[in-house]
Amino acid sequence: MEIVAMDMKLRGTYIARQLSFSGVTFRIDEIPLSKDFIRIYDESVKLWVDAREKFQQSVVLIDGEPRMKKSMWGQFWSAHQRFFKYMCIASKVDYAVRVAREAVKDGKCVVIGLQSTGEARTLEQLEEAGGELNDFVSTAKGVFQSLVEKHFPAPDRKRIHRLLGLEPIISTPVVETSHFESPSTSSGIKRKPERKARQGSKRYREDKLSDESESEGQDSDFVVSGSSSSEDSNFESLEESDSEDRDSEFNPFGEGSDSDDDPWLSRKSKKGKALKTKKKKKKNNVWTSKAKNKFNGGNHSEPNVPPPPKDAIERACAMKEELLARLESFGAELPPNTLDQLIDELGGPDNVAEMTGRKGRVVSTEDGSVQYESRCESDVPLEILNLTEKQRFMDDEKHIAIISEAASSGISLQSDRRAKNQRRRVHITLELPWSADRAIQQFGRTHRSNQVNAPEYLFLISDLAGERRFASIVAKRLESLGALTHGDRRATESRDLSQFNIDNKYGRAALETVLKSIMGIEIPIIKPPSDYNGDFFEDIREALVGVGLITQDERCPTLLSLDKDYNNMNKFLNRILGIKVELQNRLFKYFSDTLSSIISQAKKAGRFDMGILDLGTSGDQVKRFKCDTFLIKHATGTAKIDLHTVSVERGMAWNQASEIWAELTGTDEGFYVSHLARNEKYTAILAVSNATASRKKDKKEKSEKLYSIYRPNTGLQMRLEPLAELRKKYRKVTPDEAEPHWQSQFDSASLTCSHVYWRGSCRRVTLGLPCDMGLRRRMYHILSGSVLSVWTKVESVLSSMPNGHTAKMQVIRVRTEDGLRIVGSVIPLNCYAPLVNVLAQNCTKTYTEAF
């Protein structure tokens, strides 16, 4: 991508501009979990594991068809993901409130970014309670309750009794009513609303929940496929159309998955398709056919398939009622709606500017009770309420704003020079969106042109391994965006999010290795944690069975196998949210260690894609020796291609090391020499304490200091070493003892690779190939300019070399001693001469400049 973007810019066919990020700060805060939250989270995990077992048992009892099972599990896992997503967000609310209050005290104003509002769940609870609420609504509870009530594979008792002829058939149609309609009338006449809350709720229901994307149309990841609360009174109405099949209790589910696609778009797309799709031939419903045969005296020609036994139906219904009873007793401990809680703790609607798409909210009253009220104001219609709230924020009437996706475009909240409120913005991202494009849109609300102060971005992520799933998506997308706009995948404002981008080929390879190691299929690369109490792999297997990543054989439950889509990174990160906190974090730590090992192996083999390699920016001395220039004609004009030859001096002489040692004050800082000799030689290093870095050994233990390492042949190392690791490999010595070992390696590293120095021989040197492993002076050939115009020629040269099919084009950025900046692709040393010959044959002019 970097090469494509740079080549297009050289041709003048691509322009990418971005607002300067000068003065902008970006910080990631990892929020520790409280003991109470961990207890509630672990109880929620037990509830979902039991629910999965009951769903499985019930669908076997009623002998569900394969299409129904697929739909049911889609709904189950999408609800599972939404539930734990709300739990992750809830764990960060208290911290966000504290940060917001401190920022306001410091003379700043706060913008909190959310995506979902949870309005649909609130309205469902409001209808169930008849318009009266005793406490804030728990969105997580609503997700689980809605799943069980609408999608549990247990038929309605009354309906089954009627279908089996155990109750008399009533021919009078039953009129659908809601909590806001009179149940005593059959004419459908509605009661007058008793309060604005009911008006708002009813209007919302009549609009079929078609609110802005964040109002539970966004809140609900997948479309509900029509589980109706009303029942038809006769069998003709059961067969009227194909939609009635969806209303049947035996097939009420829509599609669902753990895919990375924006799940809320499925709602819109399915509605659009429903309007265009012609009425299909009605499908046979087993229970409708059975009932119709009975109703018509059994003279129907369709096969008579018996329904499930009555005791099986009773057991399925009992399991459904048991789940709802457990939820009712446990639901009071689940966290409330995030948006309502934030507004309440930050001073209520009078102090918080809410810019969302919802029509009502739950607020606290002066007497301590809660009630649902419409967001509409007497003099401000709902259509322009967000703009009014935005103006109040910009006029310094309110110092805190909460925005959802509805306010993520078209609204400017920066410290504009024309606005009264010119305080510095603190933009807190509490919930990342599914799409990185939406994240960029929301970040851009507080960082725009004509601003007085640059914003502070604060991204909150909980200490839950599974939440890295949401950051992973955004980090991956933002890195690719940086490659297009800047020629560097690290150039976007998400640079600090790059640590969360694990959805790549190395991450997928690590995931496959971890799961196969857990199943005993492969030998583990990393040993299980030694400080874990119990059998780590056995406990992980049991937990992964509970979240469906490991499946049990229906005939033999003890026979386990990996799910067919087990190496899907998004699915893995979605599902591990349903594992207890400690085990979840242990599993992710084991996965991270395996990923680090695989990346380390790729680096040693020279196969690791590091994106852009920087030279000359961290103490390296880069000198240009010569530059071969080629002018080549192409379809749109003449292209200029430069082939630079540069040398990089990265070693550290003894006098430089001595100067650094003279300034050290720590007792453990200084020169070290290896315990063991290799090829009768010892390794000398210089260890310097890194004041800004530390590593936690354990939650109960103090942090361990990390040390920067300097080597005579390669200078400062990127990796930091803890003191314990240093003492295992090296012993501390005086400068006089370290000097001969340091000087010996420094002198030999100018021409001799590490293999020859430490082992006495090198396989590549024996074969007549160059080897630069461990050399302090490296030569690079960099192809820059309009590289795409000669790309096919470069590929042909690379592929003609030994192991050319595995060669990678490394993008490099160099800054020479004379201040010249070069960006291009590294050409392997053995490909330099053949490439010069090929380019010279196809160019109109060529010349060489020496330095």
Side-chain angles (χ1 to χ4, degrees), residues 238-289:
L238 286 173
E239 313 183 283
E240 257 182 270
S241 69
D242 210 38
S243 63
E244 293 300 327
D245 287 340
R246 294 192 300 272
D247 285 335
S248 169
E249 290 289 336
F250 293 93
N251 189 18
F253 312 111
E255 293 294 331
S257 70
D258 291 292
S259 68
D260 187 30
D261 297 332
D262 187 348
W264 298 302
L265 292 179
S266 62
R267 186 183 191 97
K268 298 178 183 177
S269 63
K270 289 192 177 182
K271 285 186 178 180
K273 290 179 182 178
L275 296 175
K276 298 178 182 179
T277 304
K278 294 181 180 180
K279 186 175 180 180
K280 298 180 181 179
K281 184 179 179 180
K282 59 187 178 183
K283 301 176 182 178
N284 292 330
N285 186 302
V286 174
W287 312 114
T288 303
S289 302

Coordinates of all heavy atoms in Angstrom, one line a residue, residues 238-289:
L238 N -52.5 -19.2 10.4 CA -51.2 -19.6 10.6 C -50.5 -19.9 9.3 O -49.3 -19.9 9.2 CB -51.2 -21.0 11.4 CG -51.5 -20.9 12.9 CD1 -51.7 -22.3 13.5 CD2 -50.4 -20.1 13.6
E239 N -51.2 -20.1 8.2 CA -50.7 -20.5 6.9 C -50.7 -19.4 5.9 O -50.4 -19.6 4.7 CB -51.3 -21.7 6.3 CG -51.6 -22.9 7.2 CD -52.2 -24.0 6.4 OE1 -53.4 -23.9 6.2 OE2 -51.5 -24.9 6.0
E240 N -51.2 -18.2 6.3 CA -51.5 -17.2 5.3 C -50.3 -16.8 4.5 O -50.4 -16.6 3.3 CB -52.0 -15.9 6.0 CG -53.5 -15.8 6.0 CD -53.9 -14.5 6.7 OE1 -54.2 -14.6 7.9 OE2 -54.0 -13.5 6.0
S241 N -49.1 -16.6 5.1 CA -48.0 -16.2 4.3 C -46.7 -16.8 4.9 O -46.8 -17.5 6.0 CB -47.8 -14.7 4.3 OG -47.5 -14.3 5.6
D242 N -45.6 -16.6 4.2 CA -44.4 -17.1 4.7 C -43.9 -16.5 6.0 O -43.1 -17.0 6.7 CB -43.3 -16.9 3.6 CG -42.3 -18.0 3.6 OD1 -42.6 -19.1 3.9 OD2 -41.1 -17.7 3.4
S243 N -44.4 -15.3 6.2 CA -44.0 -14.6 7.4 C -44.5 -15.3 8.7 O -43.9 -15.1 9.7 CB -44.5 -13.1 7.4 OG -45.9 -13.1 7.4
E244 N -45.6 -16.0 8.5 CA -46.1 -16.7 9.6 C -45.2 -17.8 10.1 O -45.2 -18.2 11.2 CB -47.5 -17.3 9.3 CG -48.6 -16.2 9.1 CD -48.8 -15.4 10.3 OE1 -48.6 -15.9 11.4 OE2 -49.1 -14.2 10.2
D245 N -44.4 -18.4 9.1 CA -43.4 -19.4 9.5 C -42.4 -18.8 10.5 O -41.9 -19.4 11.4 CB -42.7 -19.9 8.3 CG -43.6 -20.9 7.5 OD1 -44.7 -21.3 8.1 OD2 -43.4 -21.1 6.3
R246 N -42.1 -17.5 10.2 CA -41.1 -16.8 11.1 C -41.8 -16.6 12.5 O -41.1 -16.5 13.5 CB -40.6 -15.5 10.5 CG -39.8 -15.8 9.2 CD -39.1 -14.5 8.8 NE -40.0 -13.4 8.5 CZ -40.6 -13.2 7.3 NH1 -40.3 -14.0 6.3 NH2 -41.4 -12.2 7.1
D247 N -43.1 -16.4 12.5 CA -43.8 -16.2 13.8 C -43.9 -17.4 14.6 O -44.2 -17.4 15.8 CB -45.2 -15.6 13.5 CG -45.1 -14.1 13.1 OD1 -44.1 -13.5 13.5 OD2 -46.0 -13.6 12.5
S248 N -43.8 -18.6 13.9 CA -43.9 -19.8 14.6 C -42.9 -20.0 15.7 O -41.7 -19.6 15.6 CB -43.8 -21.0 13.6 OG -43.7 -22.2 14.3
E249 N -43.3 -20.5 16.8 CA -42.3 -20.7 17.9 C -41.2 -21.7 17.6 O -40.2 -21.8 18.3 CB -43.1 -21.2 19.2 CG -44.0 -20.2 19.8 CD -43.2 -19.1 20.5 OE1 -42.1 -19.3 20.9 OE2 -43.7 -18.0 20.6
F250 N -41.5 -22.5 16.5 CA -40.5 -23.5 16.2 C -39.4 -23.1 15.2 O -38.5 -23.8 15.0 CB -41.2 -24.7 15.6 CG -42.1 -25.4 16.6 CD1 -43.4 -25.1 16.7 CD2 -41.5 -26.3 17.5 CE1 -44.2 -25.7 17.7 CE2 -42.3 -26.9 18.5 CZ -43.7 -26.6 18.6
N251 N -39.6 -21.9 14.6 CA -38.6 -21.4 13.7 C -38.5 -19.8 13.8 O -38.8 -19.2 12.8 CB -38.8 -21.8 12.3 CG -37.6 -21.5 11.4 OD1 -36.6 -21.2 11.9 ND2 -37.9 -21.5 10.1
P252 N -38.2 -19.3 15.0 CA -38.4 -17.8 15.1 C -37.1 -17.1 14.9 O -37.0 -15.9 15.4 CB -38.9 -17.7 16.5 CG -38.2 -18.8 17.3 CD -38.0 -19.9 16.3
F253 N -36.0 -17.7 14.3 CA -34.7 -17.0 14.5 C -34.2 -16.5 13.1 O -34.5 -17.1 12.1 CB -33.7 -18.1 15.0 CG -34.2 -18.8 16.2 CD1 -34.6 -20.1 16.1 CD2 -34.5 -18.1 17.4 CE1 -35.1 -20.8 17.2 CE2 -35.0 -18.7 18.5 CZ -35.3 -20.1 18.4
G254 N -33.4 -15.5 13.2 CA -32.8 -14.9 12.0 C -31.3 -15.3 12.0 O -30.9 -16.0 12.9
E255 N -30.6 -14.9 10.9 CA -29.2 -15.3 10.8 C -28.4 -14.5 11.8 O -28.7 -13.4 12.2 CB -28.7 -15.0 9.4 CG -29.4 -15.9 8.3 CD -29.0 -17.3 8.5 OE1 -27.9 -17.6 9.0 OE2 -29.8 -18.2 8.1
G256 N -27.3 -15.1 12.2 CA -26.3 -14.4 13.1 C -25.0 -15.0 13.0 O -24.9 -16.2 12.7
S257 N -24.0 -14.3 13.3 CA -22.6 -14.8 13.3 C -21.7 -13.9 14.1 O -22.1 -12.9 14.6 CB -22.1 -14.9 11.8 OG -21.9 -13.6 11.3
D258 N -20.4 -14.4 14.2 CA -19.4 -13.6 14.9 C -18.6 -12.8 13.9 O -17.4 -12.4 14.2 CB -18.5 -14.5 15.7 CG -19.3 -15.2 16.8 OD1 -19.6 -14.4 17.7 OD2 -19.5 -16.4 16.8
S259 N -19.1 -12.5 12.7 CA -18.2 -11.9 11.7 C -17.9 -10.5 12.1 O -18.6 -9.9 12.9 CB -18.9 -11.9 10.4 OG -20.0 -11.1 10.4
D260 N -16.9 -9.9 11.4 CA -16.4 -8.6 11.7 C -17.3 -7.6 11.0 O -17.2 -6.4 11.2 CB -15.0 -8.4 11.2 CG -14.4 -7.1 11.6 OD1 -14.8 -6.6 12.6 OD2 -13.5 -6.6 10.8
D261 N -18.2 -8.0 10.1 CA -19.0 -7.0 9.4 C -19.9 -6.3 10.4 O -20.3 -6.9 11.4 CB -19.9 -7.7 8.4 CG -19.0 -8.4 7.3 OD1 -17.9 -7.8 7.0 OD2 -19.5 -9.4 6.7
D262 N -20.3 -5.1 10.1 CA -21.1 -4.3 11.0 C -22.5 -5.0 11.1 O -23.3 -5.1 10.2 CB -21.3 -2.9 10.4 CG -22.1 -2.0 11.3 OD1 -22.6 -2.6 12.3 OD2 -22.1 -0.8 11.1
P263 N -22.8 -5.6 12.3 CA -24.0 -6.4 12.4 C -25.2 -5.6 12.3 O -26.3 -6.2 12.0 CB -23.8 -7.1 13.8 CG -22.9 -6.2 14.5 CD -22.0 -5.6 13.5
W264 N -25.1 -4.3 12.6 CA -26.4 -3.5 12.6 C -26.9 -3.3 11.2 O -28.0 -2.9 11.0 CB -26.1 -2.2 13.3 CG -25.8 -2.5 14.8 CD1 -26.5 -3.1 15.7 CD2 -24.6 -2.1 15.4 NE1 -25.8 -3.2 16.9 CE2 -24.6 -2.5 16.7 CE3 -23.4 -1.4 15.0 CZ2 -23.6 -2.3 17.7 CZ3 -22.4 -1.2 15.9 CH2 -22.5 -1.6 17.2
L265 N -26.0 -3.4 10.2 CA -26.4 -3.1 8.8 C -27.4 -4.2 8.4 O -28.1 -4.0 7.4 CB -25.2 -3.1 7.9 CG -24.3 -1.9 8.1 CD1 -23.1 -2.0 7.1 CD2 -25.0 -0.6 7.9
S266 N -27.3 -5.4 9.0 CA -28.2 -6.5 8.6 C -29.7 -6.1 8.8 O -30.5 -6.6 8.1 CB -27.9 -7.7 9.4 OG -28.1 -7.5 10.8
R267 N -29.9 -5.3 9.8 CA -31.3 -4.9 10.0 C -31.9 -4.1 8.8 O -32.9 -4.4 8.3 CB -31.4 -4.0 11.3 CG -32.8 -3.7 11.7 CD -32.8 -2.7 12.9 NE -34.1 -2.6 13.4 CZ -34.6 -3.3 14.4 NH1 -33.8 -4.2 15.0 NH2 -35.8 -3.2 14.9
K268 N -31.0 -3.1 8.3 CA -31.5 -2.3 7.2 C -31.6 -3.1 5.9 O -32.5 -3.0 5.2 CB -30.5 -1.1 7.0 CG -30.5 -0.2 8.2 CD -29.5 0.9 8.0 CE -29.4 1.8 9.2 NZ -28.3 2.9 9.0
S269 N -30.6 -4.0 5.7 CA -30.5 -4.7 4.5 C -31.7 -5.7 4.4 O -32.3 -5.9 3.3 CB -29.2 -5.5 4.3 OG -29.0 -6.4 5.4
K270 N -32.0 -6.3 5.5 CA -33.1 -7.3 5.5 C -34.4 -6.6 5.3 O -35.3 -7.2 4.7 CB -33.1 -8.1 6.8 CG -31.9 -9.1 6.9 CD -32.0 -10.0 8.0 CE -30.8 -11.0 8.0 NZ -31.0 -12.0 9.0
K271 N -34.6 -5.4 5.9 CA -35.9 -4.7 5.6 C -36.0 -4.3 4.2 O -37.1 -4.4 3.6 CB -35.9 -3.4 6.5 CG -36.2 -3.7 8.0 CD -36.3 -2.4 8.7 CE -36.6 -2.7 10.2 NZ -36.8 -1.4 10.9
G272 N -34.9 -3.9 3.6 CA -34.9 -3.5 2.1 C -35.3 -4.7 1.3 O -36.0 -4.7 0.3
K273 N -34.7 -5.9 1.6 CA -34.9 -7.1 0.8 C -36.4 -7.6 1.0 O -36.9 -8.1 0.1 CB -34.0 -8.2 1.2 CG -32.5 -7.9 0.8 CD -31.6 -9.1 1.3 CE -30.2 -8.8 1.0 NZ -29.3 -9.8 1.5
A274 N -36.9 -7.4 2.1 CA -38.3 -7.8 2.4 C -39.3 -7.1 1.5 O -40.3 -7.7 1.1 CB -38.6 -7.6 3.9
L275 N -39.0 -5.9 1.1 CA -39.9 -5.1 0.3 C -39.9 -5.6 -1.2 O -40.8 -5.6 -1.9 CB -39.6 -3.6 0.4 CG -39.8 -3.0 1.7 CD1 -39.3 -1.5 1.7 CD2 -41.3 -3.1 2.2
K276 N -38.6 -6.0 -1.6 CA -38.4 -6.4 -3.0 C -38.8 -7.9 -3.2 O -39.1 -8.2 -4.4 CB -37.0 -6.1 -3.4 CG -36.7 -4.6 -3.3 CD -35.2 -4.4 -3.6 CE -34.9 -2.9 -3.5 NZ -33.5 -2.7 -3.8
T277 N -38.6 -8.7 -2.2 CA -38.8 -10.1 -2.4 C -40.2 -10.5 -2.7 O -41.1 -10.1 -2.0 CB -38.3 -10.9 -1.2 OG1 -37.0 -10.5 -0.9 CG2 -38.4 -12.4 -1.4
K278 N -40.4 -11.3 -3.8 CA -41.8 -11.7 -4.1 C -42.2 -12.8 -3.1 O -41.4 -13.5 -2.5 CB -41.8 -12.3 -5.5 CG -41.6 -11.2 -6.6 CD -41.7 -11.9 -7.9 CE -41.4 -10.8 -9.0 NZ -41.5 -11.4 -10.4
K279 N -43.5 -12.9 -3.0 CA -44.1 -13.9 -2.1 C -43.7 -15.3 -2.6 O -44.1 -15.7 -3.7 CB -45.6 -13.7 -2.0 CG -46.2 -14.6 -1.0 CD -47.7 -14.3 -0.8 CE -48.3 -15.2 0.2 NZ -49.8 -15.0 0.4
K280 N -43.0 -16.0 -1.8 CA -42.5 -17.4 -2.2 C -43.6 -18.4 -1.8 O -44.5 -18.1 -1.1 CB -41.2 -17.7 -1.5 CG -40.1 -16.8 -1.8 CD -38.8 -17.2 -1.1 CE -37.7 -16.3 -1.4 NZ -36.5 -16.7 -0.7
K281 N -43.4 -19.5 -2.4 CA -44.3 -20.6 -2.1 C -44.2 -21.0 -0.6 O -43.1 -21.1 -0.1 CB -44.0 -21.9 -3.0 CG -44.9 -23.0 -2.8 CD -44.5 -24.2 -3.7 CE -45.5 -25.3 -3.5 NZ -45.1 -26.5 -4.4
K282 N -45.3 -21.1 0.0 CA -45.3 -21.3 1.5 C -44.6 -22.7 1.8 O -44.8 -23.6 1.0 CB -46.7 -21.3 2.1 CG -47.7 -22.3 1.5 CD -49.0 -22.0 2.0 CE -50.1 -23.0 1.4 NZ -51.4 -22.7 1.9
K283 N -43.9 -22.7 2.9 CA -43.2 -23.9 3.3 C -44.0 -24.6 4.3 O -44.8 -24.1 5.0 CB -41.8 -23.5 3.9 CG -40.9 -22.7 3.0 CD -39.7 -22.3 3.7 CE -38.8 -21.4 2.8 NZ -37.6 -21.0 3.4
N284 N -43.8 -25.9 4.2 CA -44.6 -26.8 5.1 C -44.1 -26.6 6.5 O -42.9 -26.7 6.8 CB -44.4 -28.3 4.7 CG -45.2 -28.5 3.4 OD1 -46.1 -27.8 3.1 ND2 -44.6 -29.5 2.6
N285 N -44.9 -26.4 7.5 CA -44.6 -26.3 8.9 C -45.2 -27.6 9.5 O -46.3 -27.9 9.4 CB -45.2 -25.1 9.5 CG -44.8 -24.9 10.9 OD1 -45.0 -25.7 11.7 ND2 -44.2 -23.7 11.2
V286 N -44.3 -28.3 10.2 CA -44.7 -29.6 10.7 C -45.9 -29.5 11.7 O -46.9 -30.2 11.6 CB -43.5 -30.3 11.5 CG1 -44.0 -31.5 12.2 CG2 -42.4 -30.5 10.5
W287 N -45.8 -28.4 12.5 CA -46.9 -28.3 13.5 C -48.1 -27.8 12.9 O -49.2 -28.1 13.3 CB -46.4 -27.4 14.7 CG -45.0 -27.9 15.1 CD1 -43.9 -27.2 15.0 CD2 -44.7 -29.1 15.6 NE1 -42.8 -27.9 15.4 CE2 -43.3 -29.1 15.8 CE3 -45.4 -30.3 16.0 CZ2 -42.6 -30.2 16.4 CZ3 -44.7 -31.4 16.5 CH2 -43.3 -31.3 16.7
T288 N -48.0 -26.9 11.9 CA -49.2 -26.4 11.2 C -49.9 -27.6 10.5 O -51.1 -27.7 10.5 CB -48.8 -25.3 10.2 OG1 -48.2 -24.3 10.9 CG2 -50.1 -24.7 9.6
S289 N -49.1 -28.4 9.8 CA -49.7 -29.6 9.1 C -50.4 -30.5 10.0 O -51.5 -31.0 9.8 CB -48.6 -30.3 8.3 OG -47.9 -29.4 7.4

